[in-house]
Structure formats: structure tokens, C-alpha cells
Amino acid sequence: MDEILGGCPLLDADLIESAADRLWPHHEGDIDRLFAFLGLRHKRTRDLPSGVEGLTLGGLVLVRDRVDESRVRVTGVHECGHVVLDQEHPHHTHPDVWCFSIAALAPRVLLASMGDLVTIEGLARRAQIPLWVAIARLRMGAIKKIVMVAA
């Protein structure tokens, strides 16, 4: 979580949010549609180096095969974030990619559709993301005015 919210993002939070928002109509949470829209192929594999969850090689995204489908989603969208930010904003940091991928999984429009009170568990269920990603999303500065977090 430190790398995500405690690192050194270079890009403005609104710029990251806008990039994630532009993608939402093309996938609406369906990761296969996101890969297709970006012209990427993807494959789940157990043959990645130790400590590596995902890797992009040209137009192929490799994601470590896991039982936890929500973790596979996060890794896949994170790898897509590298591709999108490399194209749109070549000078970015890894925390920028994390912020983008979390925003792409739970964009502002999804949060707004959840009403005035958004819980960590509710967001995790709705966006099909792990609890730690929901926590990170609700802590991101650009959305504090949109949601309230219930304990």
C-alpha cells in the first residue's frame, strides 16, 4: 500500500482519474473487454519469476495464475495501466500506474452510482476487487469529495 499511496506520483490525480474514466465505457468492469479494447492479449501463467505478479511483453500481458480472481483482475489492470500511461504520459512513476489501475477498477462513475455512503466491503464486492484495493481507492485524494467511508 505504501508504493501505491505513499510513493512519489508524478502525474496529477485528476489526470489519472480522467484517463481511468475514459476507459470505463469500453469495459465497465469486464477485464477481457479492457484487454480487447487496448489491443492486448492476455494469458494466466504460473511461469513468472518469483515476486512477479504480472508482466507485459509487447502486446501480451502475462498474469500469475491465482485462485483469488480479484487479485488476478488487479494485476491484469495494473499491467494495462503500464500500457495506457506509456502511451498517454510517458513520464510517469510506478505509483502513477498503481493509482491508474485502482481508479480503472473502481472509477468515479461507479463510486457515484453507489450513493452517498460507500463502505470498503461494498466497494470490494461491487468492483470485484480485494479489500486492500478498496481501501486504497477510498483513500485516494481525488475522490474524497465523492464518497464517505463507513467504519
Side-chain angles (χ1 to χ4, degrees), residues 111-122:
L111 292 166
S113 75
M114 294 180 71
D116 291 335
L117 184 65
V118 177
T119 65
I120 294 164
E121 294 83 2

Side-chain angles (χ1 to χ4, degrees), residues 5 14 16 18 23 36 47 49 53 58 91 101 113 123 132 149:
L5 299 175
D14 286 329
I16 291 171
S18 295
L23 281 183
D47 297 328
E53 292 295 315
H91 301 292
S101 59
S113 75
L123 178 58
W132 67 268
V149 181

